[in-house]
């Protein structure tokens, strides 16, 4: 039982202090409930300019996705690749082979066009924020996004490919210092317990684990900020943009450095805009 008496045996009738958490101010109570997601938060009304940007983003995303899906499902893989690696992996290998063949061909216009297409698909992922302005307001999506939605920097939408970028940059620098290092972990030497692994192989396996959790976060982010119907657009967009970044990373060391700089610049621009124009940040959900 609760003891309501003081040490001298008299009843304790002292009032609680104002800072007692059972007597929160209305503002503190609202903030506490919001953090615990115990009630819905109303979104701001969109301006005409925001609606236009959001519609344009969704149209561009759908166009890019339609183009990518059409190419992917109509392409033919190399002989025996599908039986050896599976249909999905075989098509990804074929796409990478085409890109490497373009680079090896020496035709500068063709090289720039190929890299430009992949870079364009990667940058499409930056449209996720403006697309969410409308996607998060779709019927039934509001009940999810109002409760679970959260502001997110554009770089976080590339978390799986950022993880791969950091790994590739580290691997590139380490192999330049010591060419004898062996980072490759494939099906022939894969071991979940890491038996017989060198420290380089442990780094690679650690990267695999981090990419897995980054993908889980990305899926949750699309659900929280776009809603279940919005995910129909956002999830393929995330897959496409992150895959395009990884495809470019596999080309050569120059692309690794270039993509690293790209992510740093995206982060820097996002910070500058959020500081100088906090009311006009299109990278964050509202």
């Amino acid at each position: 039982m609760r003891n309501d008496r003081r040490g001298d045996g008299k009843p304790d009738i002292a009032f609680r202090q104002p800072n007692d958490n059972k007597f929160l101010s209305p503002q503190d109570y609202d903030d506490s409930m919001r953090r615990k997601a115990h009630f819905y938060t109303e979104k701001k009304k969109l301006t005409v300019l925001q609606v236009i940007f959001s519609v344009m983003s969704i149209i561009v995303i759908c166009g890019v996705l339609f183009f990518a899906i059409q190419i992917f499902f109509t392409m033919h893989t190399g002989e025996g690749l599908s039986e050896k690696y599976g249909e999905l992996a075989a098509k990804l290998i074929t796409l990478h082979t085409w890109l490497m063949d373009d680079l090896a061909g020496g035709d500068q216009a063709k090289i720039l066009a190929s890299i430009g297409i992949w870079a364009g698909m990667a940058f499409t992922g930056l449209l996720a924020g403006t697309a969410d302005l409308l996607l998060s307001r779709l019927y039934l999506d509001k009940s999810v996004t109002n409760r679970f939605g959260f502001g997110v920097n554009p770089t976080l939408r590339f978390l799986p490919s950022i993880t791969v970028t950091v790994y590739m940059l580290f691997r590139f620098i380490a192999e330049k210092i010591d060419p004898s290092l062996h980072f490759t972990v494939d099906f022939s030497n894969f071991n979940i317990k890491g038996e017989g692994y060198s420290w380089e192989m442990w780094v690679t396996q650690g990267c695999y684990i981090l990419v897995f959790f980054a993908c889980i976060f990305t899926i949750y982010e699309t659900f929280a900020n776009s809603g279940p119907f919005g995910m129909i657009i956002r999830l393929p967009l995330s897959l496409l943009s992150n895959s395009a970044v990884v495809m470019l990373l596999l080309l050569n060391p120059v692309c690794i450095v270039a993509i690293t700089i790209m992510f740093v610049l995206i982060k820097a621009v996002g910070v500058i805009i959020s500081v100088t124009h906090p009311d006009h940040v299109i990278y964050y959900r509202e």
Side-chain angles (χ1 to χ4, degrees):
M1 294 180 59
R2 177 181 171 184
N3 185 6
D4 290 327
R5 295 184 175 274
R6 299 181 302 185
D8 56 5
K10 296 181 180 180
D12 184 1
I13 59 173
F15 290 104
R16 294 183 180 274
Q17 297 299 316
N19 61 355
D20 194 304
N21 59 12
K22 291 187 179 181
F23 291 87
L24 297 173
S25 69
Q27 181 62 45
D28 290 340
Y29 178 79
D30 286 349
D31 291 342
S32 174
M33 291 299 99
R34 185 176 291 106
R35 285 194 298 271
K36 295 176 182 178
H38 283 178
F39 66 84
Y40 299 131
T41 57
E42 291 295 330
K43 298 185 182 72
K44 297 178 183 178
K45 290 185 178 180
L46 295 180
T47 64
V48 174
L49 189 60
Q50 286 176 319
V51 172
I52 293 174
F53 270 119
S54 193
V55 170
M56 291 176 61
S57 295
I58 293 172
I59 292 174
V60 171
I61 290 169
C62 289
V64 172
L65 290 176
F66 176 79
F67 170 77
I69 291 172
Q70 184 182 37
I71 295 296
F72 188 79
F73 284 102
T74 57
M75 66 180 296
H76 299 286
T77 60
E79 186 177 353
L81 283 178
S82 297
E83 291 77 6
K84 185 176 182 180
Y85 299 105
E87 190 68 21
L88 177 61
K91 289 188 175 183
L92 292 175
I93 292 171
T94 302
L95 284 171
H96 186 257
T97 301
W98 287 356
L99 189 53
M100 294 300 291
D101 289 343
D102 289 343
L103 294 178
D107 187 335
Q108 294 299 317
K110 197 171 184 179
I111 291 173
L112 291 176
S114 298
I115 294 179
I117 290 172
W118 282 104
M121 289 192 293
F123 274 106
T124 307
L126 295 177
L127 299 177
T130 48
D132 277 347
L133 292 177
L134 287 183
L135 293 177
S136 63
R137 288 169 167 81
L138 292 175
Y139 183 67
L140 295 181
D141 280 352
K142 292 186 292 185
S143 61
V144 173
T145 59
N146 285 0
R147 191 179 184 92
F148 300 106
F150 57 95
V152 58
N153 189 275
T155 50
L156 285 181
R157 293 191 169 100
F158 289 93
L159 196 57
S161 56
I162 286 176
T163 305
V164 178
T165 301
V166 173
Y167 164 75
M168 294 288 286
L169 185 64
F170 174 82
R171 178 173 176 172
F172 168 67
I173 295 173
E175 289 177 341
K176 281 292 183 183
I177 297 174
D178 185 359
S180 65
L181 295 178
H182 182 74
F183 285 88
T184 304
V185 176
D186 52 34
F187 291 110
S188 63
N189 57 12
F190 175 78
N191 188 310
I192 191 65
K193 296 181 179 180
E195 295 177 358
Y197 277 16
S198 61
W199 71 266
E200 311 101 271
M201 296 168 70
W202 268 112
V203 169
T204 299
Q205 187 148 304
C207 175
Y208 292 161
I209 296 173
L210 290 177
V211 169
F212 171 78
F213 284 108
C215 291
I216 296 297
F217 169 81
T218 301
I219 294 172
Y220 174 73
E221 188 273 322
T222 60
F223 171 78
N225 288 335
S226 301
F229 288 105
M231 286 181 71
I232 297 174
I233 295 176
R234 277 287 316 281
L235 202 56
L237 170 66
S238 181
L239 176 63
L240 178 67
S241 57
N242 279 280
S243 298
V245 172
V246 174
M247 189 71 72
L248 291 173
L249 286 171
L250 297 175
L251 293 183
N252 54 48
V254 175
C255 287
I256 297 174
V257 176
I259 289 175
T260 303
I261 295 173
M262 178 192 77
F263 281 129
V264 172
L265 289 177
I266 292 173
K267 178 67 175 178
V269 170
V271 171
I272 292 172
I273 294 177
S274 65
V275 172
T276 58
H277 299 84
D279 296 330
H280 296 84
V281 178
I282 63 173
Y283 294 132
Y284 295 85
R285 272 249 299 106
E286 295 193 13

